[in-house]
Amino acid sequence: PPHASAEAMVDYHTTGQPAYQYSGNGPGIGDYMAQEDDWDRDLLLDPAWEKQQRKTFTAWCNSHLRKAGTQIENIDEDFRDGLKLMLLLEVISGERLPKPERGKMRVHKINNVNKALDFIASKGVKLVSIGAEEIVDGNAKMTLGMIWTIILRFAIQDISVEETSAKEGLLLWCQRKTAPYKNVNVQNFHISWKDGLAFNALIHRHRPELIEYDKLRKDDPVTNLNNAFEVAEKYLDIPKMLDAEDIVNTARPDEKAIMTYVSSFYHAFSGAQKAETAANRICKVLAVNQENEHLMEDYEKLASDLLEWIQRTIPWLENRVPQKTMQEMQQKLEDFRDYRRVHKPPKVQEKCQLEINFNTLQTKLRLSNRPAFMPSEGRMVSDINNGWQRLEQAEKGFEEWQLNEIRRLERLDHLALKFRQKASIHEAWTEGKEAMLKQKDYETATLSDIKALIRKHEAFESDLAAHQDRVEQIAAIAQELNELDYYDSPSVNARCQKICDQWDSLGSLTHTR
């Protein structure tokens, strides 16, 4: 908790007070720094403390500055004009700072450093005892304090592990990752790391092919530390931030230096994990997209096949060419029943499946935040529904027509049979009648014979008159068969005409006799 005022600025490097505090979005960091006050005060005069921080912070800064094509050699000298300090903040934050002043005068340098300090403050860090003048003057302790503030804010504050954050989150991450290693017990960021096994365990946990962990010995810390630092630099792109000897030869390594180094491991591995997670997410997205594309293709094919079947079937249902015989009509009816029983049900199933696929696809696309699927022109669900409606209308009309046709053919069959029966009876009755009427037996007959012939002829005339109705019935049936489009109307008409002609002839012969 800072208690510096404008009138009497407190130098935290001489009192142990933290050179900053967090307000708003930096929970926890100011609190744990307060617990370090006594330790910092004891170590202020130890040159090992400053040497470790200087080396670590320089390497950390350069690991970011190299992305902008530059680096620093001397941490308290190279930030004095504020230019590389502003550049460092731009690289690590990914944001643009105000344009720096390029002048060489002290005022220009102070203005540039102030722009950097204002940017740090804008990220929720309240800088209490760090002033631009001390940085411009090359105050080593102030510069190291400022860099530590930047490291805390940009490399440690946002670490979050199982609902713990910042330093506690980083410590918990180390504990979780090294838990399977019996000879590693991470309880802090100083002596827990002296033997080098914790560094090696972190690497081995994530990249086991890089470390032969079983060959490491707890009583050989220098070898262990060098092994971890060299592997990290060569394969993990983590620059060497400390010398093994500096750690081993110090009663208690500098916590800030160790935290900075370990945070680089966290970001290297969590970054790889995030990349892997992102890759997996991309693969999943690709798989989902591929599945969606298959569903689209399936829909298009199913829709195309179904519409083609509908368009092929409707003309068949609309074909209302009358059949000549009842047998032919019965076959047509049987074909229709096959259509209803065999051919149509699978198409009903296809139509249902098509609608299910379409709705499933649209739901998947919506859940994936993808645009809705738009089928090809003419293959919309509405097009299929319209086609299906036309099919069912044609089907209904076809069924009604078939029933009417069957009734018509049944009527025709009945009439044709009646015509044949009546015509046969009539033709049998008329047989020999013309020959009888043409006889001239009256020429040689006696009077009594003539009277008998007259009585016989009068009886025939009565019989002939009685047959008039039968001839008219035959003609009426033939007329009805014509009107109902009987297929054999020509032969019916010919027979009827012959009967009528013969009837006229019989009438004429009767009259003459």
Side-chain angles (χ1 to χ4, degrees), residues 236-277:
L236 305 176
D237 203 27
I238 298 172
K240 188 176 181 182
M241 297 185 183
L242 283 171
D243 289 323
E245 291 74 16
D246 292 340
I247 296 174
V248 173
N249 296 332
T250 310
R252 175 169 163 171
D254 180 67
E255 185 174 47
K256 296 181 182 68
I258 298 290
M259 272 182 73
T260 302
Y261 211 156
V262 172
S263 73
S264 297
F265 282 85
Y266 170 85
H267 289 295
F269 291 130
S270 69
Q273 196 170 354
K274 283 173 188 171
E276 188 179 345
T277 303

Side-chain angles (χ1 to χ4, degrees), residues 17-29:
Q17 292 294 342
Y20 47 83
Q21 71 181 51
Y22 273 80
S23 58
N25 60 349
I29 295 175

Side-chain angles (χ1 to χ4, degrees), residues 429-440:
W429 179 80
T430 58
E431 192 175 346
K433 293 295 188 288
E434 282 185 279
M436 180 198 76
L437 290 172
K438 287 178 181 178
Q439 284 178 358
K440 296 196 177 184

